[in-house]
Amino acid sequence: MTEHNDEDLVRQCRAGELKSFDLLVERHQRAIFNLALRMVRDSDDAADVSQSVFVKAYENLERFDPQYKFFSWLYRIAVNESLNALGQKKRFEGLDGNDLAVETPDEKDDEAVNEERRIQDGLMMLNVDQRAVIVLKHMQGLSYREIGQILDLPEKTIKSRLFSARQTFKDILKKKGVRRNDRSTAS
Amino acid sequence: MTGAQLRELINRDVDGDLSPNEHRDLTAALRRNASARKLHAEIKALGTALSSVRQVEPPANLGNRIRADVRSRISTPPLRRTRLESLRALVQTPSVLRYGTFFAGGLVTGALLFMFLIHPQPAPNVSADVATGTLLTHSETFPFDLNGAKGTLTAISTETGKELTFRLTSGIATTTKLTYDPSRVKLENVREVQSAGGPVVVNAGVVEMTGTGSQKCTLVFSGVRDSRIAVQVAAAGGGTFNKEIQVH
């Protein structure tokens, strides 16, 4: 079977082929879910964000500019939806005074999981702008240019934001005692 | 090379963004500068730690949830402009083709009407995946008009029966939703409260709609006993709309 690229699928979807959108969902849901998860931390919230992302993408497909990559556009929606979710949560917590974040109960309490948890905790201590660049760069493996397109910022700004985010993150992790591979040397 | 330039080179090196000349300059600077070497090692280790965080598999039903939600909104764009463009193109075609197309369209419409009369179709609030024959959604929509706040409350259940999504649309087309899970209600605006009558914990949620003046609404849902959820829409301008929904 021919593997269609995203642009083909978007074109088919605009022509009314809903199955093409299903393929886009199948192709990108994992990345979008993981992006949302790192932004909002809670798995259920991340699933809700992912659902909103694809629904918004579908509803606004006519506005998608094909000169950009489809996934960049999806990521942009995902970042915005994550920020909305965090904003709503904050408002509610402000009223209620309860932290609704839930730990996944079946997580194994091994060292790797603990380290990941500390990294996720550290991420949540960054401001959302810094968190977004760290997640997009290190966890989604995107280039400065792609991150710039997603956040609608010049590459220069992305670099300086990323570098200062790393510095802040490094300090946070130092305080939290995340084990690092300090044997790394200059390449 | 200033300290700021050196920090930038170190960061860009970790990202693999240096030209050969810049890389050579950095290597020379690192050889001379112990604190720069330390910073380089730390930034590199940070990148390694972040990149080693494992990808998490999304919930198994996420794809179905998304497909069901998209299909429940099937009447909204993306087809709108395409149809408009098609109509515009049709009007601009020579008259023989135009009348021929209208005639063919009439025949198709007649055939469709005939089919609907002879073979009643499934209820329109049910959608199915044609390829697999799987029932995807069942939804019910309840319109309300509360002192100027007009809108609809839509409840959509997925095929698993484990989720019920509420969508509230007020007059200014603001949409929100709550997801109900029998084992645990979980969304950003949901909290657990103790029922007044005894030790049973019921789940309740409140969502405030963004809106202006009388269009502003609040969606409250509560009571998860006997698979029934009480839903209330309260308008800022006064008045409430109550509905009890059976969860199957």
Side-chain angles (χ1 to χ4, degrees), chain B residues 97-157:
Chain B
L97 276 177
R98 191 161 68 226
Y99 291 128
T101 308
F102 282 134
F103 179 71
L107 279 179
V108 171
T109 308
L112 284 173
L113 279 174
F114 178 76
M115 280 172 64
F116 272 101
L117 287 173
I118 302 298
H119 304 289
Q121 299 298 302
N125 59 355
V126 176
S127 73
D129 185 332
V130 179
T132 62
T134 316
L135 183 69
L136 287 177
T137 64
H138 175 82
S139 67
E140 273 184 281
T141 298
F142 313 101
F144 61 84
D145 182 353
L146 301 168
N147 298 322
K150 286 187 182 179
T152 55
L153 170 69
T154 304
I156 308 159
S157 61

Side-chain angles (χ1 to χ4, degrees), chain A residues 30 34 48 88 144 166, chain B residues 15 56-57 65 187-188:
Chain A
R30 190 168 186 262
N34 275 275
D48 286 333
Q88 285 177 15
Y144 300 139
R166 278 179 182 148
Chain B
D15 294 333
V56 178
E57 283 305 317
R65 271 174 60 178
L187 201 79
E188 62 267 20

Side-chain angles (χ1 to χ4, degrees), chain B residues 15 17 26 32 67 86-87 147 179 186-187 191 211 226:
Chain B
D15 294 333
D17 189 51
L26 174 65
R32 291 190 303 268
R67 280 187 280 274
S86 306
L87 189 63
N147 298 322
T179 301
K186 183 71 195 75
L187 201 79
R191 60 200 156 108
D226 303 325

Side-chain angles (χ1 to χ4, degrees), chain B residues 167-188:
Chain B
R167 190 183 319 126
L168 181 65
T169 307
S170 77
I172 56 165
T174 306
T175 303
T176 192
K177 65 178 175 55
L178 288 172
T179 301
Y180 162 76
D181 181 328
S183 61
R184 163 171 168 262
V185 173
K186 183 71 195 75
L187 201 79
E188 62 267 20

Side-chain angles (χ1 to χ4, degrees), chain B residues 209-224:
Chain B
M209 301 288 297
T210 50
T212 52
S214 62
Q215 300 284 11
K216 194 171 176 179
C217 287
T218 306
L219 171 64
V220 181
F221 78 97
S222 63
V224 195

